[in-house]
Amino acid sequence: MAILENIRKRTTVLILIIGLALFAFVISGVFTKNNLSGGKTGSSVAEVNGDEISINDFRRKVEVAKNRFGSSASSMMVVNQVYEQEVRNAILAQQFEDLGIDIERDQIMNYIKTIPAYSQNPQFMNESGNFDEGKFRDFIADLRANSPSQYELWLQDEQSIIQNAKQQTYFNLVKAGVGATLKEGELDYKLANDKVDIKYVRLPYTSIADSTISITKSEIQSYINDHKEEFKQENARDIQYVYFEEKASVDDVNAVKEETIKLLDDTIEYREATDRMDTIAGFRNTKDLVDFLDRKSDIKYDTIYRAKKDLPTSFADTLVTLKIGEIFGPYRDGNYFKVSKMVDKKADGSAKASHILISWKGGERAGANVTRTKEEAEAKAKELLAEAKKDGTVFVQLARDNSDGPSAPNGGDLGYFQEGAMVADFNDFVFGNKVGTIGLVETEFGYHVIKIDDKQDVYKIATLAREIEPSEATINTLFQDATKFEMDAISGEKEFVDLAKENKYEVRPVNKIKAMDENLPGLSTQRSIVQWAFKEDTEVGNVKRFSVNNGYVIAQMTGKYEEGLQSVEDASTTVLPILRKERKAKQLIAANKGKSMEDVAKDNSVSVSNASALTVKAPTIPGAGREPAVVGTAFAMNVGDSSDFIIGESGVFLISVTNKQEGPKLENYSTFANSIKTSNAARVNSAVYNALKEAAEVEDNRSIFY
């Protein structure tokens, strides 16, 4: 109660600062009596409101995260995710300490019971099928004693568990103070159901050309100064670069093609082992395709039968017409020259089928919810078979409504499969009948009502492939070209862009790079370039060469943006339209001041229009778009009143209210009040954490270490 009272006293502050996502408290002391709190050693990767985040601890967490994400995640993506998590941890830990929030052992165990990975794991269940706390504790103790590496992983998991348990308690306390009165519910109802009809004339801003409006730099600067929160900027950099890509020349391409052609026919070679000249079979005549392609091809022999749709799109029509033993090529497919030989064909070798599975209790892989007997399953399957064969029956819907199989949500669709992929009886039915046949088959999984949807011919094709790569001569020339461009750019005798244009190189600009960015357009992952751009001694105009995958980049720094307010030049794209609109509104109002609605319409060649059933929650005026200020003004007027000019989103308006209608009164507005409460509670986690983070003083040192 003391905690709740403390929160109530500080409600206004908390609504602005409470955060989201917790991840950093070890409960080893709860289950293993082991304190791993550790000290803050070494330099800090960040400082949050004066509290340091140790780089040593941070690096350990990054390594654990990398192992969990696997190779699919880039290093910087993992670093950034761990960083955001650690900042959240630090911010919220400070709030927990300030409010005295802690979690007891029973609360932790209760939270673990809500996690399916633990609560539904048979390893931790008792004879009644319920989660057994004793078995869970014994498992953790066994890990600690016998599996140190697994125990270390568990320690990471328990950090998340304790932190999420605290989070749950924390936000539940806050949400308990979030509510809505019946009056708020009534207001919400009225905003959606009270309606107003208006007559209006609109003078659109587009009636005045932008070119006639002159905005000075000082006016833009004044607007920026008056709206500082909207024009904050982070440290950022602009660069431009020329990419020298290692790619094959025309001569290289032709050389690879010639090499591929030479491999088609037999050759005579000297064999040292036999001390004689032997005939070596080429791709056309070889009897051992596996061995030949293993030695001569950059893509190994694929023995799988493929349907036409799985063959190279541009050449599939030709490939499928080959006779067995016939070859086609060389042809270029992507970055390879290929020659393909037809090895075998199977007519209707791939089938597409849908099924309705009716399983029985005790059957193979039957779900726990299946209680019918085998006899009941057979009877139901026969009923569904008869239904499926009726004219007009939609098999897809029948499967969705009745199938016990995992394909039910897809209407029973099993996709394409080849002979042998399904259990024997199922396989024999599908490949032994025509497309469109519907029948019943029994397997160990249950009774299957099967519909054969389609069949395709399949082909086994052996392909000799040679990758098209740049030659050593091409690579050397590229290096020389990149080096010369770099030296010329550094000399400064010519502008970077002019020098590139002279040499017919493409210059690619990249603007507003952030310190922790990793990917650059056209280059992908290039952390080294970003780090260089943010070095203290890198100045605007500096040039540097970088070795990248498949070539070189010559980069030049073109702009620096320090943390603070945007410059006039950077903010102008946002500010100019706003100031122009303000200026146009003044001109339109001044030119038409004192006129009636009809005169304004006549003098400006526009019409007087009507709009009905407008609501505050949907303030869209037909023909004008979203206009909240206009609709809001209309609701504040009486029927028959006319307004002065209203500055709207798309123009200036004169309106008169022709009718107002209140929504039907309700006996109780609790439904709407509850809806507001639910909506507000759902926003607590994200909204208050964002405010908390905004108020925090965070010093980010990631770029020093990564």
Side-chain angles (χ1 to χ4, degrees), residues 255-433:
V256 174
K257 184 177 181 180
E258 290 301 316
E259 289 174 7
T260 307
I261 293 172
K262 288 178 181 179
L263 292 172
L264 297 181
D265 297 316
D266 300 349
T267 58
I268 298 176
E269 297 179 8
Y270 172 74
R271 292 218 172 187
E272 188 175 351
T274 59
D275 191 29
R276 66 179 185 182
M277 304 296 287
D278 283 346
T279 299
I280 308 300
F283 183 63
R284 196 187 308 274
N285 298 320
T286 184
K287 303 299 182 185
D288 190 343
L289 285 169
V290 175
D291 176 68
F292 183 89
L293 295 179
D294 188 55
R295 290 184 295 107
K296 302 293 186 180
S297 177
D298 291 326
I299 298 177
K300 304 310 175 189
Y301 184 33
D302 181 2
T303 60
I304 297 174
Y305 284 84
R306 305 280 182 188
K308 180 180 177 180
K309 65 181 180 60
D310 300 319
L311 301 176
T313 305
S314 299
F315 307 98
D317 288 338
T318 301
L319 291 173
V320 298
T321 61
L322 294 175
K323 298 177 182 178
I324 293 177
E326 189 176 0
I327 66 171
F328 168 69
Y331 60 93
R332 183 165 181 174
D333 183 21
N335 209 37
Y336 291 89
F337 271 112
K338 295 180 177 180
V339 180
S340 295
K341 177 188 283 188
M342 181 63 71
V343 178
D344 193 20
K345 299 181 178 184
K346 288 184 180 179
D348 294 338
S350 176
K352 184 176 186 290
S354 302
H355 79 138
I356 304 170
L357 173 63
I358 305 300
S359 53
W360 60 80
K361 186 175 182 179
E364 188 75 19
R365 299 182 191 173
N369 61 323
V370 176
T371 58
R372 68 176 72 89
T373 64
K374 183 176 181 180
E375 291 73 19
E376 290 171 336
E378 182 179 11
K380 182 174 181 180
K382 288 180 177 179
E383 289 177 10
L384 290 170
L385 174 64
E387 183 67 24
K389 288 185 174 182
K390 290 180 181 178
D391 290 341
T393 297
V394 179
F395 192 91
V396 169
Q397 192 59 52
L398 204 62
R400 284 177 180 159
D401 294 341
N402 296 279
S403 181
D404 295 326
S407 64
N410 298 324
D413 186 5
L414 297 171
Y416 284 94
F417 52 89
Q418 295 185 23
E419 279 199 84
M422 299 294 182
V423 293
D425 290 339
F426 195 107
N427 179 87
D428 292 346
F429 176 83
V430 172
F431 288 97
N433 290 283

Side-chain angles (χ1 to χ4, degrees), residues 187-218:
L187 175 61
D188 187 62
Y189 171 80
K190 289 176 70 64
L191 293 178
N193 292 277
D194 286 359
K195 297 182 172 80
V196 65
D197 299 344
I198 64 171
K199 181 170 69 172
Y200 72 93
V201 64
R202 177 180 68 123
L203 302 180
Y205 297 128
T206 54
S207 62
I208 299 177
D210 287 351
S211 58
T212 64
I213 305 296
S214 177
I215 306 294
T216 66
K217 286 187 176 181
S218 61

